Amino acid sequence: MLLFEEIAFRQTPIGELSLRRRRLSAQGEDIWEIKLNDGYLMSSRFVEGEIALADLALPLAHGEKLDVVIGGLGLGYTAEAALRDPRVGALTVVELIPEVIEWHREHLLPLGEAVSGDPRCELIQGDFFELARSPAGFFPDQPQRLHDAILIDIDHSTTHFIDPATVDFYSIEALEAVSRRLAPAGIFALWSTDAEDPVFLEVMRQCFTEVRVERIEFETPYRDKPAFNLIYLGRKR
């Protein structure tokens, strides 16, 4: 049995993109990874935080047939968790890298069929940050459309960015723009792999109510104590 396999490779405008499957041992589980050049964009090794992003946010949303937007598709763990909620009526996932969407649609990824094959789910290629701040929002043909929850898993944290161009998203102006895309009492949630950011928390309190941070811990062989992710949560005023 192969312990390493490159499933797909593309030369893209932002660098070399590869989809890989590997195992740490013959008896181990598959680990799926997407790399950009020498850096890891996504890994299935630790996904507790990505799943918790949906599991913590959606129960806070009011009503039925929820209209949900996720920024960042990745390996699909947040999207798949959201689709497990029977109240979700429409899920829109905005992903910057078209190859990631393609790999889901071609079912090259373990969750590809569950995510791309669900009729409630629409995968959109685009810049989430740009769309969130645009007057028309995520649907130019439906500029008045509002969403019950907007979940974000793109940057590593509010201070550790995939692209330095996103630094101004974590500002009052940008979060107010996101708030305008939410339905009354809609939920905002954001995933982070770094320690709590007091500056960003204060920004959130300016834009949302019921602001809190949930810590998701998980075991890792790389350290003696559990690792953690954070989920920032808030509700539209």
Side-chain angles (χ1 to χ4, degrees):
M1 178 176 292
L2 290 175
L3 296 183
F4 174 85
E5 182 180 8
E6 185 171 73
I7 307 295
F9 175 87
R10 294 288 178 81
Q11 186 69 49
T12 75
I14 58 175
E16 295 181 344
L17 192 71
S18 63
L19 170 62
R20 318 181 330 164
R21 180 195 62 79
R22 65 184 176 94
R23 286 188 173 184
L24 300 181
S25 67
Q27 293 76 34
E29 296 181 0
D30 287 337
I31 299 171
W32 295 81
E33 301 165 332
I34 297 178
K35 291 191 68 178
L36 177 62
N37 297 318
D38 293 327
Y40 288 89
L41 282 182
M42 309 144 197
S43 171
S44 66
R45 188 78 191 277
F46 306 109
V47 297
E48 290 85 352
E50 286 88 343
I51 294 170
L53 178 60
D55 286 350
L56 290 174
L58 295 186
L60 302 176
H62 298 159
E64 302 293 329
K65 296 185 178 180
L66 299 178
D67 186 327
V68 179
V69 172
I70 295 176
L73 173 59
L75 296 174
Y77 286 94
T78 302
E80 195 268 343
L83 290 167
R84 289 202 303 265
D85 188 324
R87 294 191 303 146
V88 172
L91 175 66
T92 304
V93 187
V94 183
E95 170 58 50
L96 180 64
I97 303 173
E99 288 80 6
V100 173
I101 295 177
E102 179 183 330
W103 293 340
H104 275 272
R105 288 175 173 163
E106 292 179 351
H107 301 170
L108 296 182
L109 289 162
L111 297 181
E113 183 174 4
V115 172
S116 67
D118 194 305
R120 297 171 295 166
C121 183
E122 180 177 3
L123 306 180
I124 294 178
Q125 191 277 319
D127 185 329
F128 172 87
F129 299 118
E130 181 179 323
L131 292 173
R133 289 179 288 193
S134 69
F138 303 102
F139 295 91
D141 59 336
Q142 304 174 58
Q144 304 304 314
R145 182 170 172 177
L146 299 178
H147 311 285
D148 299 294
I150 296 177
L151 321 181
I152 305 174
D153 176 9
I154 297 177
D155 286 324
H156 296 302
S157 75
T158 57
T159 57
H160 184 188
F161 314 117
I162 297 295
D163 184 343
T166 65
V167 62
D168 64 343
F169 177 78
Y170 304 98
S171 65
I172 291 176
E173 181 182 12
L175 291 194
E176 284 179 341
V178 172
S179 179
R180 288 194 289 271
R181 307 315 313 171
L182 285 169
I187 299 300
F188 170 86
L190 182 139
W191 173 91
S192 170
T193 191
D194 285 348
E196 188 173 303
D197 180 355
V199 174
F200 181 68
L201 266 177
E202 184 56 34
V203 169
M204 280 193 65
R205 292 187 181 105
Q206 297 295 316
C207 303
F208 301 102
T209 187
E210 299 180 25
V211 172
R212 74 176 197 267
V213 182
E214 294 286 347
R215 182 183 176 101
I216 309 301
E217 295 190 346
F218 49 91
E219 298 298 325
T220 168
Y222 305 120
R223 51 193 294 182
D224 294 333
K225 59 183 180 180
F228 70 91
N229 293 160
L230 298 182
I231 308 297
Y232 292 84
L233 297 158
R235 187 184 300 278
K236 182 172 181 175
R237 294 186 184 278

